[in-house]
Amino acid sequence: MKRVTISWQALIALLCVVGAMVMLPLFSAGAPQPPSASTVALIALLAIAAALLSFTPLSAPLIATVLFAGAHGAAWLLLGTLAGNEGFAGPAFFLLLAACWLIAWRCVTQLSDLQPTRPTGQWLLRLLIPAIFGAWILVIWEALTRGGGIPFVILPPPSAIWARIAGSLPTLGEDVRQTIFKAVLVGYIVGCISGFVVAILADRVDFLRRGLLPIGNMVSALPIIGVAPIMVMWFGFDWQSKAAVVIIMTFFPMLVNTVAGLAASGNMERDLMRTYASNDWQTLVKLRLPAAMPFIFNALKINSTLAMIGAIVAEFFGTPIVGMGFRISTEMGRMNVDMVWAEIAVAALAGSVFYGVVALAERAVTFWHPSIRGG
């Protein structure tokens, strides 16, 4: 039978709840809509119940479920008390927020200790833990900005950013189409393919390998703000100049990583291919390219973020009246900070999806690699 376990997160959470009850009310004098005593009591009871039940000898999945429900239920009610009381939150409010956060921390710790036997359970667990972590970043952000009365122009709350996203979908869609589906994708594909082809040639021609790699290291160190204006002058203000910046940024990481990957296969494997009477191209296709795949996908993942950064920054130096970089620059000048954050959120989401697609392709292609089998 499982013994009673005491967690320091739950103990500190209980102390925070007790401290909050001593320091009531939640909001300072003058708050327009102070919450009712029953709401405050329900928040405290949810936090206390979750913390105490985590000490009981229940099964790990059940304890994690209780902690999840208690932490997020109490946090939802606590954030609801901010309506109309922005800037009036007192120490009791933040102590209850800390208690909820500690209980959520304990929930994540409990989930991390689980060992699902089915692949579906493992997949869900890998998604749930970072989702809880990310959700609490937003919860704390919302509570601090609204409860602490942080000026909107300095840092808007996530709720305001979400409202701006929901109300600006056509504008955001046009910006995504201009920046991502034109500049980023075209530049990424052309830059990665050309870098890969030149790496194959450099592997065959010693002159290219000795000459290109030092240049590649030098060009990789060039600042975007120096390259982007030149590309705008050469290729115009539309997406072609931004794609050119992306090509420059993605070409050399692919070149350097592919050349390094082609040299990764050992002498023993190459000697074995010679005993099979394989020519150079057969050795390249059947041995050296598969061995280089982890390096190539490493370059693809690096380039997925470089392409987004390059295209958005390049739009600061001249673009049609559409695009994510153009919108960020323009709306910042107008002090529409929520629109700037909306563009940043969309760019972060698109970049994460882009990176995730490349990572999934890597798992499918390099399933034999120890780093993939171990994950």
Side-chain angles (χ1 to χ4, degrees), residues 107-115 125 129:
C107 173
V108 170
T109 303
Q110 199 74 22
L111 289 172
S112 301
D113 293 336
L114 297 179
Q115 299 293 334
L125 196 60
I129 292 175

Side-chain angles (χ1 to χ4, degrees), residues 39-368:
T39 301
V40 176
L42 181 58
I43 295 171
L45 285 174
L46 282 172
I48 292 171
L52 291 178
L53 285 173
S54 68
F55 299 150
T56 60
L58 300 173
S59 63
L62 184 56
I63 290 178
T65 303
V66 169
L67 290 168
F68 180 88
H72 294 86
W76 180 267
L77 292 173
L78 191 62
L79 290 179
T81 63
L82 285 171
N85 299 312
E86 287 81 359
F88 288 91
F93 176 89
F94 292 110
L95 281 173
L96 284 178
L97 178 67
C100 296
W101 171 65
L102 286 165
I103 294 170
W105 184 350
R106 178 58 184 166
C107 173
V108 170
T109 303
Q110 199 74 22
L111 289 172
S112 301
D113 293 336
L114 297 179
Q115 299 293 334
T117 56
R118 296 183 179 181
T120 304
Q122 298 173 357
W123 180 76
L124 289 175
L125 196 60
R126 282 198 297 265
L127 287 180
L128 183 59
I129 292 175
I132 294 174
F133 190 90
W136 271 93
I137 293 177
L138 297 178
V139 169
I140 294 173
W141 180 355
E142 181 82 11
L144 291 178
T145 51
R146 293 179 61 196
I150 296 176
F152 190 85
V153 295
I154 294 179
L155 184 63
S159 57
I161 298 171
W162 173 251
R164 172 60 75 174
I165 292 174
S168 306
L169 289 179
T171 301
L172 292 171
E174 286 298 317
D175 292 342
V176 167
R177 179 174 173 271
Q178 174 73 14
T179 302
I180 297 177
F181 289 100
K182 289 183 178 180
V184 171
L185 286 182
V186 172
Y188 180 84
I189 292 171
V190 174
C192 290
I193 290 177
S194 57
F196 176 79
V197 172
V198 173
I200 298 295
L201 295 175
D203 180 72
R204 308 296 301 168
V205 181
D206 187 62
F207 169 75
L208 289 176
R209 183 170 63 253
R210 292 176 180 271
L212 273 178
L213 291 183
I215 295 176
N217 293 328
M218 180 188 70
V219 174
S220 299
L222 291 177
I224 307 173
I225 58 174
V227 175
I230 297 173
M231 294 298 105
V232 171
M233 293 296 294
W234 286 2
F235 298 101
F237 289 93
D238 209 347
W239 62 268
Q240 292 87 349
S241 57
K242 287 69 185 173
V245 173
V246 174
I247 290 172
I248 293 174
M249 294 188 66
T250 56
F251 175 84
F252 289 102
M254 176 58 73
L255 170 65
V256 172
N257 277 273
T258 304
V259 169
L262 291 173
S265 57
N267 292 328
M268 184 179 297
E269 290 85 356
R270 297 186 190 187
D271 291 341
L272 180 62
M273 293 298 293
R274 293 191 190 98
T275 62
Y276 293 152
S278 298
N279 57 35
D280 289 344
W281 286 106
Q282 289 174 327
T283 302
L284 175 68
V285 172
K286 296 182 181 297
L287 171 64
R288 302 181 67 200
L289 274 180
M293 280 301 161
F295 294 83
I296 293 171
F297 275 103
N298 184 52
L300 289 173
K301 289 189 291 187
I302 292 172
N303 286 343
S304 67
T305 56
L306 287 178
M308 290 288 299
I309 296 170
I312 291 174
V313 172
E315 288 180 344
F316 291 174
F317 298 93
T319 184
I321 54 173
V322 67
M324 304 181 80
F326 165 79
R327 197 76 55 194
I328 291 172
S329 177
T330 304
E331 298 299 334
M332 196 66 208
R334 297 173 179 173
M335 299 303 289
N336 292 331
V337 185
D338 53 346
M339 188 63 184
V340 174
W341 278 97
E343 291 283 356
I344 293 172
V346 172
L349 178 61
S352 299
V353 172
F354 197 0
Y355 186 93
V357 170
V358 175
L360 288 175
E362 180 185 22
R363 295 184 69 89
V365 174
T366 62
F367 58 89
W368 48 268

Side-chain angles (χ1 to χ4, degrees), residues 9-48:
Q9 294 101 329
L11 284 175
I12 298 177
L14 289 173
L15 293 176
C16 288
V17 174
V18 172
M21 293 300 100
V22 173
M23 302 179 72
L24 287 176
L26 294 183
F27 299 98
S28 59
Q33 301 177 20
S36 62
S38 60
T39 301
V40 176
L42 181 58
I43 295 171
L45 285 174
L46 282 172
I48 292 171

